[in-house]
Amino acid sequence: MAEAYIYDAVRSPRGKGRSGGSLHEVTSAKLSADMLNALKTRNDLDGHAVEDVIWGNVTQVGEQGGCLARTAVLASELDESIPGVSINRFCASGLEAVNMAANQIRGGAGNAYIAGGVEMMGRVPMGSDGAAVAADPTVAMKVYFVPQGISSDIIATEYGFTRDDADALAVRSQQRAKTAWDEGRFRNSIIEIKDINGLTILDHDEYMRPETDMQALGSLEPSFSELGETTPGFDRIALMKYPHLERIEHIHHAGNSSGITDGAAAVLLGSKAYGERNGLKPRARIVGTAKIGTDPTIMLTGPVPVTRKILAENGLEIADIDLFEVNEAFASVVLRFMQAFDVDPDVVNVNGGAIAMGHPLGATGAVILGTLLDEIERADMETGLATLCIGSGMGVATVIERV
């Protein structure tokens, strides 16, 4: 089996996902094309230099529908001979795209791919594509469906995390993100987004609130208590599935949950021969990839079993991993990961995460993989693991090794 290497990784700044956000004027195709063009320019690639573009985006309707991956290729400076395929594994779509590309290379189906994803949440609202798991009663009743916010609170209740635990993690995320930006830790990967006149629209993650403290977060009302306790009574549904719980503790709010943002990210992957032929130096090797299905009601615990799976399949122990990126969809997701593996918080999301900088759904997996790669290099480490929880109960993970 051939090895798959990461040669480059880029991302856009994350804009606030609303009409007043800096990236609101930018379409999904344009932002995606910007990422493809950045990889082409930075690596002096020929327009036909990759086999395919595998692109994640979650809400595949409107301007994000119709195989956005192919549209992005056509909107970019890549050659029209490069195809594109859009994928949707919910919040892990960007990382799953990378994993698919890596495994194509490892299996001999092409020497190079661009993979990543996009989500313009301010232009294409989350959930506007519908969801059978929620809307079809024959499925929803079977799986005891509840919204993700309720799931995050079930995790907190089941595993004993308090509001203070979640808020402390959120404050730490904000502080770390500020330090990372102040010290230029993202400089190598950020692509400034410009308008048609060449003027910069956004060059930083604008969702950040570095002044956040425990007192400010303490004033926020729980976001999901009303959803859980009133019609249709999702708490009651959850307690039918988990009758050992007396009640659901609602600890999550806007300040300790991921932000709604716009953004895109892309990764250039190839074989060793590809790099040699194009004069490129690999930055990391893909050690392994994994995905798993989990309980669809509690839904967001996937990072734990998928990490166990990827470690076992690659003959690794948790102590063999130097650095972790665990997507901060909700604070309890990261708290559960650290609890399950007894991982030191000092090696988890060291540059902040989605609570501070936002979670552009289809892009985030590729974003955190690029962040992991940059930090491994900066801190002179060897191995890293990126993982995300996923709607409907799944998990995805990737282990990389610095070259």
Side-chain angles (χ1 to χ4, degrees), residues 11-30:
R11 74 170 177 93
S12 73
R14 283 167 275 195
K16 295 178 181 178
R18 57 181 188 237
S19 59
S22 294
L23 295 180
H24 187 67
E25 68 184 77
V26 183
T27 66
S28 306
K30 198 274 183 184

Side-chain angles (χ1 to χ4, degrees), residues 52-200:
D52 200 358
V53 170
I54 304 178
W55 210 239
N57 64 293
V58 174
T59 310
Q60 297 189 4
V61 296
E63 67 181 52
Q64 287 186 174
C67 190
L68 179 60
R70 175 58 174 168
T71 304
V73 171
L74 296 176
S76 76
E77 297 167 4
L78 296 179
D79 193 88
E80 65 180 18
S81 63
I82 297 174
V85 59
S86 293
I87 68 161
N88 181 3
R89 201 185 288 279
F90 296 140
C91 296
S93 297
L95 189 60
E96 186 62 51
V98 172
N99 290 354
M100 287 182 174
N103 290 327
Q104 293 270 42
I105 293 165
R106 296 166 86 185
N111 286 312
Y113 287 74
I114 293 175
V118 69
E119 206 79 30
M120 302 304 289
M121 300 180 74
R123 295 177 63 92
V124 185
M126 178 173 56
S128 57
D129 56 339
V133 70
D136 185 337
T138 63
V139 180
M141 293 173 65
K142 178 178 183 290
V143 303
Y144 294 88
F145 170 82
V146 298
Q148 286 191 14
I150 302 295
S151 297
S152 70
D153 287 335
I154 297 173
I155 294 172
T157 307
E158 176 72 15
Y159 294 102
F161 304 126
T162 67
R163 167 76 176 255
D164 280 352
D165 293 333
D167 286 357
L169 186 144
V171 170
R172 186 165 68 232
S173 181
Q174 295 284 354
Q175 292 172 341
R176 288 178 172 181
K178 182 180 187 304
T179 297
W181 271 102
D182 288 348
E183 296 183 359
R185 297 184 187 181
F186 301 133
R187 188 184 302 115
N188 184 53
S189 299
I190 290 288
I191 304 301
E192 291 187 9
I193 305 305
K194 300 182 179 182
D195 63 17
I196 59 174
N197 298 311
L199 300 176
T200 297

